[in-house]
Amino acid sequence: QVQLVESGGGLVQAGGSLRLSCAASGSIFSIDAMGWYHQAPGKQRELVAFISSGGSTNYADSVKGRFTISRDNRKNTVDLQMNSLKPDDTGVYYCNIEVRYTRYWGQGTQVTVSS
């Protein structure tokens, strides 16, 4: 069994920064892809940032240049540094990892950006 614990959400003014962290534990030999998803109120969950096992990254157009995803393979963690936050970034952010073709989700952490 794999567990994901997220932290770092909160309330911030537009233009501010937050750093989200996600720690994986349990029956993990190695983690393949890792990512962060955003679910705005009343909308579907969407991929924000992705990082492969080799460190290649990909970002949604809406966050390019503002968000940075990183991972620590020794600690089984993935972080999302969010800068220049906008009110549209408000929502719940979910950590997602892939282990041996199985995907796991965190419980989500709320980010609220005030204008």
Side-chain angles (χ1 to χ4, degrees):
Q1 192 70 10
V2 175
Q3 297 83 35
L4 300 178
V5 177
E6 298 146 340
S7 61
L11 173 64
V12 65
Q13 289 188 333
S17 298
L18 285 174
R19 188 177 183 88
L20 305 183
S21 295
C22 174
S25 62
S27 302
I28 299 173
F29 177 69
S30 66
I31 300 175
D32 300 316
M34 306 180 85
W36 286 93
Y37 286 71
H38 170 226
Q39 187 165 17
K43 296 188 178 181
Q44 290 188 332
R45 196 175 300 184
E46 297 181 338
L47 178 65
V48 170
F50 164 94
I51 184 166
S52 71
S53 58
S56 297
T57 59
N58 196 17
Y59 297 92
D61 288 342
S62 60
V63 306
K64 283 181 180 177
R66 301 189 297 122
F67 291 10
T68 302
I69 189 171
S70 60
R71 63 188 287 171
D72 185 328
N73 292 329
R74 292 176 300 173
K75 297 181 180 179
N76 289 334
T77 58
V78 58
D79 291 351
L80 185 68
Q81 177 66 42
M82 305 187 295
N83 298 328
S84 302
L85 283 161
K86 304 175 181 180
D88 284 349
D89 297 321
T90 293
V92 181
Y93 285 75
Y94 296 89
C95 171
N96 176 267
I97 69 170
E98 182 176 325
V99 179
R100 295 187 178 181
Y101 307 108
T102 299
R103 300 180 72 181
Y104 299 90
W105 292 92
Q107 80 284 358
T109 185
Q110 176 71 40
V111 170
T112 303
V113 184
S114 63
S115 57

